[in-house]
């Protein structure tokens, strides 16, 4: 039996060059230091994405976009064996995936892992976060309950801030002046075909870069002499711990999905008033609140335009950080980048909490 | 990680720590896999279970079907199964499954030829008994009991085949 497996392996190896991969994995190492905990968060993001992929395919077995959307989600939740659980896992993992990506991004930022030669890793990573948020926004509408309906309605109004082109674009995206079954169909196509088709190659690129450049060292480790730095092998040492983290994540996800099954509100009805305290998902809360603050300071469209401008400018600065904090020395510029990161993190947290308190 | 010297430490039962750990980890893995596979299986199999429940019906009432003209047939669903009610010229009734025993196509009652025909591969059945007369079908069509009342026709699973 064993010799049969071996000869099958060498048959495949001759044709595919598997031995090169094994050799690569054997030599790949991961740094060990006090901040190594943060190395797991990219893998955790990937784990939640895989969960999303699997549960998304399962939901596709019964979900029907269009006028039937609400009814099909009601059937999944109440009439299908464990449908409530599959849906709950999909919703919870979506949120946990965004959490994991945020933690991953900020840890990369503060470890300054975006510096040369890892600029493209940073850019593709920020792109993946953006795509994940569009995944979240488009997926939120699909059940077509009242919260989904009004959240999407409000979210789409933001495009009105772009003069002339904005409203036209929004009409095209919605398939009409209002959120309707056409919108569900469009968001569905976006959510299950377009976004995965874009996300997967970017993810592949991102992972390939990680293999190419390896894990980045935080500045505190970089300054230590190479002889004092510690490493462990990727396979099996790091991978075992990586999988242990996945197992922890899986357990947390299971408990959340079981104990707090995702709700389905009443069917969307444009004639009913918006439910009290309606608000976007937490990862849009900060933008929501910034728009509100600026709206209070500068009544009318001016406030909203300024709010959007501040957020967009911040986002662009964030995206371009590898270009203006690119030196290895721990100079003034590097310190400024750290302050910028701390400010961004605090601003996001404060405006998010503020947003929830102001509901 | 235990030291290599600990690996062969015998416990009272004669099981090494390594064997025990392996079994424990393997067992936990099996429990996990089962805990994951069971809901997924039940979820995917939902419509199968539903259809099985549906076809567990023993009786169907076709309202106003007693008005069906002699020499014609009517299609209906017995549970989830396509079925056929025939009112013969001599006033008798037959009800049978309309699923060809060859490869599962829905069969058709040809009023002019007084036969049940399957368009897929040309199977022919006797409309009164359901017997396979010619073509590839290996078995007859199953018959139901028919009871004609003033309000409709009651079809039930025939006792001998139930």
């Amino acid at each position: 039996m064993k010799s049969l497996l071996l000869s099958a392996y060498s048959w495949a190896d001759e044709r595919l060059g598997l031995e090169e991969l094994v050799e690569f994995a054997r030599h790949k190492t991961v740094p060990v230091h006090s901040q190594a905990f943060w190395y797991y968060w990219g893998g955790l993001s990937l784990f939640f994405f895989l969960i999303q992929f699997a549960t998304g395919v399962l939901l596709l077995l019964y979900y029907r976009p269009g006028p039937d959307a609400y009814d099909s989600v009601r059937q999944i939740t109440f009439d299908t064996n464990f449908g409530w659980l599959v849906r709950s896992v999909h919703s919870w993992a979506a949120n946990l995936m965004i959490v994991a990506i945020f933690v991953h991004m900020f840890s990369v930022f503060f470890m300054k892992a975006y510096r040369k030669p890892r600029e493209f890793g940073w850019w593709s990573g920020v792109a993946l976060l953006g795509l994940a948020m569009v995944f979240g926004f488009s997926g939120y509408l699909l059940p077509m309950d009242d919260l989904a309906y009004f959240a999407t309605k409000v979210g789409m109004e933001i495009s009105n801030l772009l003069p002339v082109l904005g409203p036209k674009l929004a009409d095209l995206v919605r398939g009409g002046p209002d959120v309707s079954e056409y919108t569900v169909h469009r968001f569905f196509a976006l959510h299950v075909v377009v976004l995965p088709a874009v996300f997967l190659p970017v993810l592949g690129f991102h992972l390939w870069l990680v293999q190419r450049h390896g894990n980045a060292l935080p500045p505190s480790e970089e300054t230590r002499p190479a002889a004092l730095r510690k490493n462990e092998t990727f396979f099996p040492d790091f991978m075992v711990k990586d999988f242990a983290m996945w197992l922890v994540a899986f357990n947390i996800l299971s408990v959340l999905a079981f104990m707090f099954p995702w709700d389905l509100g009443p069917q969307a009805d444009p004639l009913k008033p918006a439910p009290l305290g309606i608000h976007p998902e937490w990862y849009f809360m900060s933008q929501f609140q910034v728009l509100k603050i600026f709206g209070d300071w500068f009544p009318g469209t001016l406030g909203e335009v300024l709010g959007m401008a501040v957020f967009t400018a911040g986002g662009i600065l964030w995206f371009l950080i590898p270009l203006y904090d690119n030196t290895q020395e721990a100079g003034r510029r590097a310190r400024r980048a750290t302050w910028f990161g701390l400010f961004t993190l605090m601003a996001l947290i404060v405006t998010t909490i503020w947003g929830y308190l102001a509901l | 990680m235990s030291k290599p010297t600990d690996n062969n430490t015998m416990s009272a039962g004669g099981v090494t720590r390594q064997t025990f750990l392996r079994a424990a980890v393997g067992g936990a893995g099996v429990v996990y896999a089962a805990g994951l596979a069971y809901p997924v299986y039940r979820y995917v199999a939902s419509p199968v279970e539903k259809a099985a429940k549906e076809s567990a019906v023993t009786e169907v009432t076709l309202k106003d079907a007693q008005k069906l003209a002699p020499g014609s047939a009517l299609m209906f669903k017995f549970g989830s199964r396509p079925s056929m009610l025939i009112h013969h010229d001599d006033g008798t009734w037959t009800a049978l499954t309309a699923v060809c025993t060859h490869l599962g196509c829905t069969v058709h009652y040809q009023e002019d030829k007084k036969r049940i025909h399957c368009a897929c591969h040309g199977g022919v059945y006797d409309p009164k008994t359901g017997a396979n007369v010619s073509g590839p079908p290996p078995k007859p069509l199953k018959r139901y009991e028919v009871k004609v009342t003033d309000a409709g026709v009651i079809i039930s699973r025939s006792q001998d085949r139930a």
Side-chain angles (χ1 to χ4, degrees):
Chain A
M1 184 66 196
K2 205 169 179 185
S3 67
L4 195 72
L5 276 177
L6 267 177
S7 64
Y9 174 77
S10 64
W11 184 88
D13 177 37
E14 263 180 75
R15 284 150 184 89
L16 302 172
L18 300 176
E19 206 51 40
E20 289 164 36
L21 288 176
V22 173
E23 202 55 26
F24 176 79
R26 204 169 281 150
H27 291 297
K28 187 176 158 60
T29 58
V30 176
V32 179
H33 51 77
S34 59
Q35 286 152 61
F37 171 69
W38 304 106
Y39 286 148
Y40 295 102
W41 287 85
L44 284 174
S45 312
L46 175 65
F47 169 74
F48 286 122
F49 177 74
L50 294 176
I51 295 276
Q52 286 311 82
F53 197 95
T55 50
V57 171
L58 287 177
L59 289 172
L60 269 179
L61 299 186
Y62 301 115
Y63 178 73
R64 301 188 299 276
D68 263 4
Y70 179 80
D71 209 39
S72 70
V73 177
R74 196 192 51 71
Q75 284 168 13
I76 290 172
T77 314
F78 300 109
D79 298 345
T80 309
N81 298 330
F82 293 102
W84 63 273
L85 182 61
V86 175
R87 187 171 160 249
S88 191
V89 169
H90 195 71
S91 304
W92 274 109
N95 283 281
L96 293 175
M97 176 172 146
I98 305 252
V99 171
I101 298 177
F102 265 111
V103 173
H104 178 47
M105 179 175 75
F106 276 101
S107 63
V108 163
F109 189 96
F110 291 120
M111 286 206 245
K112 298 188 177 295
Y114 48 74
R115 289 170 309 175
K116 191 187 168 190
R118 295 186 174 82
E119 293 94 330
F120 282 101
W122 174 257
W123 291 326
S124 56
V126 175
L128 288 172
L129 172 63
L131 287 169
M133 288 170 87
V134 183
F135 258 121
F137 185 70
S138 56
Y140 198 73
L141 175 68
L142 300 184
M144 259 314 229
D145 61 0
D146 59 349
L147 270 178
Y149 173 80
F150 283 107
T152 307
K153 206 172 155 65
V154 173
M156 291 301 295
E157 292 296 316
I158 306 289
S159 59
N160 285 342
L161 299 177
L162 192 68
V164 191
L165 216 59
K168 291 235 179 273
L169 212 65
D171 279 356
L172 282 181
V173 172
R174 277 189 300 251
D178 204 353
V179 173
S180 66
E181 65 198 58
Y182 291 104
T183 323
V184 175
H185 247 295
R186 281 158 202 236
F187 276 36
F188 176 69
L190 185 71
H191 192 78
V192 306
V193 179
V194 180
L195 286 173
V198 178
F199 193 92
L200 284 170
V202 180
L203 178 63
F205 177 63
H206 192 74
L207 293 176
W208 174 71
L209 286 173
V210 175
Q211 298 317 311
R212 190 174 163 79
H213 298 305
N215 293 56
L217 286 173
S220 59
E221 274 294 298
E222 241 168 23
T223 49
R224 295 177 64 192
L228 289 179
R229 294 182 209 149
K230 274 190 262 171
N231 284 301
E232 64 184 350
T233 59
F234 177 79
F235 183 86
D237 289 353
F238 184 79
M239 220 165 89
V240 166
K241 287 190 244 171
D242 215 13
F243 279 133
M245 286 295 277
W246 286 26
L247 204 57
V248 170
F250 179 76
N251 289 344
I252 291 173
L253 173 65
S254 305
V255 168
L256 287 173
F258 255 105
M259 305 292 286
F260 310 100
W262 212 260
D263 210 14
L264 181 66
Q267 185 160 15
D269 182 353
L271 296 181
K272 270 197 207 150
L276 268 179
I278 182 162
H279 61 88
E281 288 279 77
W282 61 269
Y283 43 89
F284 292 119
M285 198 52 154
S286 177
Q287 285 102 310
F288 180 75
Q289 187 57 24
V290 167
L291 284 185
K292 248 168 79 179
I293 296 166
F294 275 84
D296 287 346
W297 288 346
F298 310 95
T301 347
L302 177 68
E304 288 182 342
V305 170
L306 280 177
M308 271 316 275
V310 165
F311 233 96
T312 311
I316 291 172
L317 275 182
W318 190 252
F319 188 73
L320 295 180
I321 188 88
L323 296 185
Y324 55 81
D325 176 36
N326 46 11
T327 53
Q328 304 294 322
E329 289 95 68
R332 191 196 291 168
R333 212 190 263 187
R335 273 202 303 278
R336 261 195 218 142
T338 303
W339 281 115
F340 175 49
L342 281 174
F343 171 78
T344 306
L345 183 60
M346 288 320 289
L348 283 178
I349 291 173
V350 166
T351 49
T352 300
I353 293 173
W354 189 353
Y356 275 99
L357 291 178
L359 282 178
Chain B
M1 281 284 152
S2 55
K3 285 177 208 149
T5 48
D6 290 346
N7 280 348
N8 294 315
T9 309
M10 288 283 196
S11 71
V15 182
T16 63
R17 176 180 292 183
Q18 194 177 24
T19 320
F20 174 76
L21 277 176
R22 268 203 194 140
V25 170
V30 169
V31 169
Y32 255 95
L36 201 62
Y38 177 72
V40 170
Y41 169 75
R42 289 290 309 279
Y43 175 82
V44 174
S46 244
V48 183
E49 289 179 21
K50 214 169 141 198
K53 238 179 243 166
E54 272 175 10
S55 53
V57 293
T58 54
E59 192 178 285
V60 173
T61 303
L62 305 172
K63 240 181 122 192
D64 290 333
Q66 80 280 9
K67 294 174 187 160
L68 184 68
S72 59
L74 166 90
M75 299 299 293
F76 67 96
K77 272 194 157 186
F78 193 87
S80 57
R81 251 183 130 60
S83 304
M84 178 188 284
L85 175 69
I86 308 170
H87 192 183
H88 300 290
D89 288 325
D90 60 8
T92 57
W93 298 77
T94 308
L96 23 71
T97 65
V99 181
C100 186
T101 55
H102 176 220
L103 291 173
C105 291
T106 299
V107 295
H108 168 64
Y109 178 61
Q110 292 177 317
E111 295 178 4
D112 50 342
K113 293 180 180 159
K114 303 290 172 212
R115 63 174 193 174
I116 295 170
H117 179 249
C118 180
C120 286
H121 304 96
V124 174
Y125 300 88
D126 183 295
K128 284 209 167 179
T129 62
N132 40 330
V133 177
S134 68
K139 281 187 296 184
L141 296 172
K142 277 192 182 164
R143 280 170 62 198
Y144 302 116
E145 306 260 301
V146 183
K147 208 165 117 196
V148 183
T149 70
D150 289 344
V153 176
I154 302 163
I155 317 270
S156 55
R157 216 177 269 278
S158 61
Q159 295 305 314
D160 54 320
R161 288 173 223 269

